[in-house]
């Protein structure tokens, strides 16, 4: 079974939204959890991230499984798959355990005892879980390590293309930046256009003519790591509808996007409820929780 999929569904559909980790996907899935279940499992079963070294999905998918009250069985079954499928499932289960799921915790403990890629899973849970959740497996770890004769798994190290920028000479003007962004759109170049977007953001409303193009990247990019950068650029250019985008970002897969939402989403009952949710969620990143706490304090 192929693990990597790049045949994305249209960005406005529920499958396409979930594949991209968009906040709107989580909101739509909550309206009909039963219909969304197989789509959520499919996002764990297959690798949809454009760049697995920087694009985040684990927390997004763990929340979908938890909040839609989906059975964990299909996720646990993936632990027996290939190394990458096992990783995706284990990362989701690791977070669900932190969120209070005993079933998820026991599934990973059982895998450490008997699973093929047990050492990887052990490293992940040891980093995230309290000692009392896994410390009693120490004897099992010694036995399994001895059986494998001290061998260690091979680590793949990749340099994310999204983090490597081209050297620039003279600073380009707005028309040059727009032309660069248009070329990226035509070529479907998803890694890197956010640098151009940030360049346009420096011109503020003077680059307002690029709003439509920037919004297309925000809506369509599968490279979720760059989505927050497009949103920041849209706000800097004074884009209409940016408040709605900030609100949706409170459900985004990327912590940077959720952080922007926590700081800038308009004061509505929906936003306040979501900020309280993020603040109380044990699997949320601390910087997002802190922003939610500060924002709620300011609103009340």
């Amino acid at each position: 079974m192929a693990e990597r999929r790049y045949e994305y569904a249209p960005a406005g559909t529920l499958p396409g939204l979930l594949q991209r980790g968009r906040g709107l996907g989580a909101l739509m899935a909550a309206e009909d959890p039963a219909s969304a279940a197989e789509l959520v499992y499919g996002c764990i079963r297959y690798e949809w991230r454009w760049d697995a070294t920087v694009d985040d999905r684990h927390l997004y998918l763990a929340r979908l499984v938890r909040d839609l009250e989906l059975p964990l069985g299909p996720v646990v079954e993936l632990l027996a798959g290939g190394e990458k499928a096992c990783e995706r499932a284990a990362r989701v289960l690791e977070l669900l355990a932190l969120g209070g799921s005993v079933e998820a915790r026991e599934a990973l403990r059982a895998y450490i005892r008997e699973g093929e890629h047990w050492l990887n899973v052990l490293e992940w849970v040891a980093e995230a879980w309290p000692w009392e959740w896994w410390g009693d497996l120490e004897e099992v770890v010694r036995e399994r390590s001895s059986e494998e004769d001290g061998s260690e798994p091979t680590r793949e190290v990749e340099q994310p293309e999204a983090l490597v920028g081209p050297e620039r000479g003279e600073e380009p003007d707005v028309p040059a930046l727009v032309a660069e962004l248009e070329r990226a759109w035509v070529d479907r170049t998803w890694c890197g256009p956010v640098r151009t977007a940030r360049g346009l953001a420096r011109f503020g409303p003077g680059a307002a003519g690029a709003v439509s193009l920037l919004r297309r990247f925000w809506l369509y990019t599968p490279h979720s790591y760059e989505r927050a950068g497009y949103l920041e650029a849209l706000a800097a250019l004074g884009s209409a509808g940016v408040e709605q985008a900030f609100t949706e970002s409170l459900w985004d897969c990327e912590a940077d996007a959720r952080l922007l939402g926590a700081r800038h989403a308009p004061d509505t009952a929906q936003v306040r409820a979501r900020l309280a949710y993020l603040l109380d969620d044990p699997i949320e990143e601390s910087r997002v929780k802190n922003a939610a706490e500060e924002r709620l304090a300011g609103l009340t």
Side-chain angles (χ1 to χ4, degrees):
M1 176 171 56
E3 288 199 345
R4 184 174 290 278
R5 293 285 183 92
Y6 282 151
E7 305 84 9
Y8 290 90
T13 66
L14 180 56
L17 290 165
L18 294 176
Q19 290 161 7
R20 292 166 173 80
R22 285 266 308 278
L24 182 57
L27 288 164
M28 290 175 61
E31 296 175 357
D32 190 353
S35 297
E38 284 305 315
L39 296 176
V40 174
Y41 292 140
C43 286
I44 304 172
R45 187 174 297 116
Y46 299 109
E47 180 61 272
W48 292 99
R49 290 173 295 177
W50 193 258
D51 186 339
T53 63
V54 289
D55 289 335
D56 191 14
R57 291 291 189 281
H58 303 133
L59 187 148
Y60 179 82
L61 294 169
R63 277 188 173 143
L64 283 167
V65 172
R66 181 189 65 188
D67 295 350
L68 302 183
E69 300 181 348
L70 303 183
L72 293 190
V75 183
V76 175
E77 290 173 2
L78 292 176
L79 292 173
E83 183 176 3
K84 296 300 184 181
C86 173
E87 177 182 356
R88 291 191 297 275
R91 290 293 196 174
V92 168
L93 292 168
E94 168 199 316
L95 289 168
L96 290 171
L98 285 173
S101 172
V102 175
E103 182 182 357
R105 187 199 313 178
E106 291 306 313
L108 290 183
R109 285 171 52 83
Y111 187 84
I112 291 170
R113 294 189 187 97
E114 302 175 355
E116 179 181 0
H117 307 293
W118 66 277
L119 186 55
N120 291 342
V121 174
L122 174 65
E123 291 176 352
W124 299 327
V125 301
E127 182 179 348
W129 287 2
W131 166 259
E132 56 268 24
W133 285 13
W134 62 275
D136 62 321
L137 298 174
E138 187 174 1
E139 183 62 32
V140 173
V141 171
R142 279 200 297 267
E143 291 177 0
R144 298 207 68 181
S145 297
S146 176
E147 291 172 1
E148 296 187 9
D149 196 27
S151 61
E152 296 184 358
T154 301
R155 301 296 181 190
E156 294 183 4
V157 180
E158 300 180 19
Q159 176 67 14
E161 182 182 348
L163 302 182
V164 182
E167 294 184 3
R168 296 188 183 275
E170 186 177 340
E171 195 68 21
D173 56 12
V174 171
L177 288 169
V178 171
E180 184 177 333
L181 202 60
E182 286 177 339
R183 284 193 298 272
W185 175 258
V186 170
D187 295 338
R188 293 297 189 267
T189 302
W190 300 120
C191 292
V194 72
R195 295 190 298 270
T196 309
R198 292 188 175 116
L200 286 163
R202 293 198 297 269
F203 293 92
V211 162
S212 176
L213 191 55
L214 286 169
R215 185 165 181 81
R216 270 183 273 163
F217 272 97
W218 182 80
L219 289 168
Y220 288 91
T221 182
H223 191 21
S224 57
Y225 175 80
E226 296 198 348
R227 195 153 48 229
Y230 297 130
L231 180 53
E232 287 181 304
L234 286 167
L237 272 56
S239 170
V242 72
E243 290 188 343
Q244 180 181 354
F246 279 132
T247 299
E248 179 190 327
S249 295
L250 290 167
W251 283 261
D252 199 274
C253 69
E254 295 290 339
D256 285 346
R258 297 194 300 277
L259 190 63
L260 287 173
R263 290 171 174 168
H264 303 296
D267 182 13
T268 65
Q270 181 191 35
V271 167
R272 290 193 181 206
R274 186 62 177 180
L275 289 171
Y277 171 99
L278 296 176
L279 177 59
D280 294 337
D281 191 351
I283 68 174
E284 182 54 83
E285 292 192 16
S286 58
R287 58 195 175 115
V288 177
K289 292 168 73 76
N290 291 339
E293 183 177 27
E294 293 174 6
R295 182 73 189 283
L296 283 170
L299 294 175
T300 56

